[in-house]
Amino acid sequence: MVEVFYFKAMIKGRKRINLSPDSILEKISEYDVYKMYMPHQNWKINTVTYSPFRNEKHPSFIIGYRGGALRYKDFADSAIRGGCFDFVMMLFHISLREALLMIDRDFDLGIISGTSTKNYERIISDYAQPTSTSKREFFIQVKTRKFTHEELAYWNMYYQDIDDLRANNVYSIDTLFLNKQKFPLKDSDLRFGYLYEGHWKIYRPYADRKNKWMPNNVPITMMDGLQDIKDCDVAFINKSKKDYMVMKKVFPCCCAVQNEGLGCFSDENVEYIQENSERQILSFDSDEAGVKNSQLITEKFGFEYCNVPRIYLDEGIKDWADLARIHGLKTIEKYLTQRELI
């Protein structure tokens, strides 16, 4: 919810003045706000730089486009993230009202006073605005390494050996570069790279939810296993590569999308799957969000769906990969047999 602050004008007859994020962004851009207050002035959009919130030897901070907005993120601290007004609030330890007043004053916007020398026009004319205004752009480079014993043990829990990993373009990461800047990785982290036609999706299974799949420049419509959907009776559509790799052990005619979003289902993908199978079974997580997304997509495309039984939610199990890890592939095979899918 965006807060709006009203201030009474000092001159009789003047309209009430609305100071809000929207009124500020009518005069300047989100980029201008970051440009004004970011201590490290050599930063660039979508390029990892030094965090303004601490002294550090290795860059771990980025300002980049996401969902049409210019947002910041600290890879070393998942609590440090947000938009340009959050940035000012966090940097100066002030409230939203105080941040809006500061920006109005420092840029000489004249929203509160009702008058301005338009000094802000001179300020923002001293530099060029960014050319990209609507999307996040990631250039990811990866130096791979041999899988460690710990990494192989992790995948073995999901019935995957090194041949499975190679067949599915899963790699162990030695060094990662984001927009030609070294990306901070902890030596203790498990970190894998999923390679899709020159694009990388980084997977850190034990990172927090917001950083687990970061960074990622794989097109949202890219799929795993489309080559396995050919003259099938039932096409089983999973929500992740790991689920796909596990399910393939018991149900060869399966594939996977990038996530549970509707945007993964391009017209081309849906048409291909429907042309190459008699029935389409969608399988997302069995939690509330997964069920809701399953219903949305099955209704739109006429799919059926088969999620992990909800009785396993009490054990923290909501997908096929974890069901296999804890109860074994035989449990999945038995359930699919009961559902008359195999």
Side-chain angles (χ1 to χ4, degrees):
M1 179 177 180
V2 176
E3 294 185 63
V4 177
F5 302 100
Y6 295 99
F7 300 85
K8 292 184 178 179
M10 299 301 295
I11 301 176
K12 185 176 181 180
R14 184 178 295 168
K15 293 182 178 179
R16 187 171 61 176
I17 299 171
N18 177 346
L19 178 64
S20 69
D22 286 343
S23 64
I24 286 177
L25 294 178
E26 286 178 1
K27 295 177 177 288
I28 59 175
S29 68
E30 295 169 310
Y31 177 77
D32 296 324
V33 176
Y34 288 110
K35 185 74 174 175
M36 170 68 79
Y37 299 111
M38 181 67 175
H40 310 299
Q41 287 300 305
N42 59 344
W43 66 275
K44 296 179 181 179
I45 288 178
N46 296 325
T47 299
V48 179
T49 188
Y50 294 100
S51 173
F53 297 101
R54 64 180 171 278
N55 293 322
E56 60 182 6
K57 294 182 180 179
H58 304 289
S60 65
F61 185 84
I62 193 168
I63 299 172
Y65 285 105
R66 183 174 186 180
L70 195 57
R71 301 181 64 81
Y72 68 95
K73 177 182 175 68
D74 193 316
F75 296 112
D77 186 343
S78 61
I80 301 177
R81 60 170 61 229
C84 64
F85 299 106
D86 302 306
F87 178 75
V88 176
M89 293 163 60
M90 184 170 288
L91 190 63
F92 295 100
H93 306 286
I94 57 179
S95 67
L96 176 58
R97 178 180 182 276
E98 291 169 327
L100 298 179
L101 288 169
M102 175 185 288
I103 296 168
D104 181 45
R105 180 196 67 222
D106 292 349
F107 279 93
D108 187 26
L109 299 178
I111 297 174
I112 292 302
S113 66
T115 59
S116 172
T117 61
K118 293 194 174 182
N119 189 43
Y120 70 91
E121 294 181 351
R122 180 194 62 77
I123 293 173
I124 65 177
S125 67
D126 286 342
Y127 50 84
Q129 293 290 320
T131 55
S132 176
T133 59
S134 62
K135 67 178 182 180
R136 190 190 221 170
E137 297 174 353
F138 281 164
F139 176 56
I140 299 173
Q141 296 167 295
V142 172
K143 179 182 178 182
T144 62
R145 65 183 183 186
K146 291 183 179 179
F147 286 100
T148 66
H149 291 299
E150 185 181 12
E151 290 169 339
L152 290 176
Y154 171 82
W155 284 105
N156 284 342
M157 293 191 299
Y158 298 97
Y159 298 87
Q160 308 297 315
D161 60 24
I162 194 165
D163 291 331
D164 294 313
L165 299 177
R166 289 170 176 164
N168 287 281
N169 294 313
V170 178
Y171 297 87
S172 174
I173 297 174
D174 178 71
T175 311
L176 175 64
F177 294 90
L178 175 61
N179 297 325
K180 299 185 178 181
Q181 299 290 320
K182 189 174 181 180
F183 187 90
L185 292 172
K186 295 179 182 178
D187 290 337
S188 58
D189 282 350
L190 291 186
R191 64 277 189 113
F192 305 105
Y194 296 168
L195 181 60
Y196 293 87
E197 299 179 7
H199 300 279
W200 286 97
K201 186 174 188 175
I202 308 306
Y203 176 43
R204 290 178 285 170
Y206 297 132
D208 63 77
R209 183 177 179 182
K210 293 180 180 178
N211 292 293
K212 183 177 290 188
W213 300 104
M214 180 69 190
N216 169 19
N217 65 3
V218 175
I220 194 67
T221 56
M222 194 72 72
M223 292 187 66
D224 284 287
L226 275 184
Q227 71 279 1
D228 298 324
I229 310 299
K230 199 73 177 176
D231 300 323
C232 298
D233 177 27
V234 176
F236 203 91
I237 308 168
N238 298 280
K239 54 82 181 174
S240 72
K241 179 188 280 287
K242 188 163 66 174
D243 277 0
Y244 159 73
M245 292 167 66
V246 169
M247 289 299 290
K248 192 174 178 181
K249 296 288 183 178
V250 297
F251 198 96
C253 198
C254 67
C255 59
V257 289
Q258 292 296 316
N259 59 46
E260 295 182 345
L262 180 61
C264 298
F265 293 85
S266 67
D267 292 341
E268 293 79 8
N269 287 342
V270 173
E271 181 179 354
Y272 178 87
I273 294 170
Q274 290 178 331
E275 286 181 351
N276 286 278
S277 60
E278 295 297 321
R279 299 166 62 195
Q280 300 81 41
I281 307 291
L282 184 69
S283 185
F284 286 171
D285 287 350
S286 59
D287 59 7
E288 183 177 350
V291 171
K292 182 177 180 180
N293 288 329
S294 294
Q295 292 171 339
L296 173 67
I297 293 169
T298 53
E299 289 175 6
K300 181 173 179 62
F301 299 116
F303 297 163
E304 303 169 57
Y305 74 86
C306 174
N307 297 347
V308 172
R310 293 179 63 84
I311 59 171
Y312 293 108
L313 286 176
D314 291 340
E315 300 178 55
I317 299 171
K318 59 182 180 179
D319 60 31
W320 300 109
D322 279 340
L323 184 61
R325 176 176 61 86
I326 295 174
H327 292 282
L329 290 175
K330 288 292 184 181
T331 299
I332 298 177
E333 189 173 358
K334 180 179 179 181
Y335 180 69
L336 296 183
T337 301
Q338 291 173 346
R339 291 288 303 267
E340 298 183 348
L341 296 177
I342 57 177

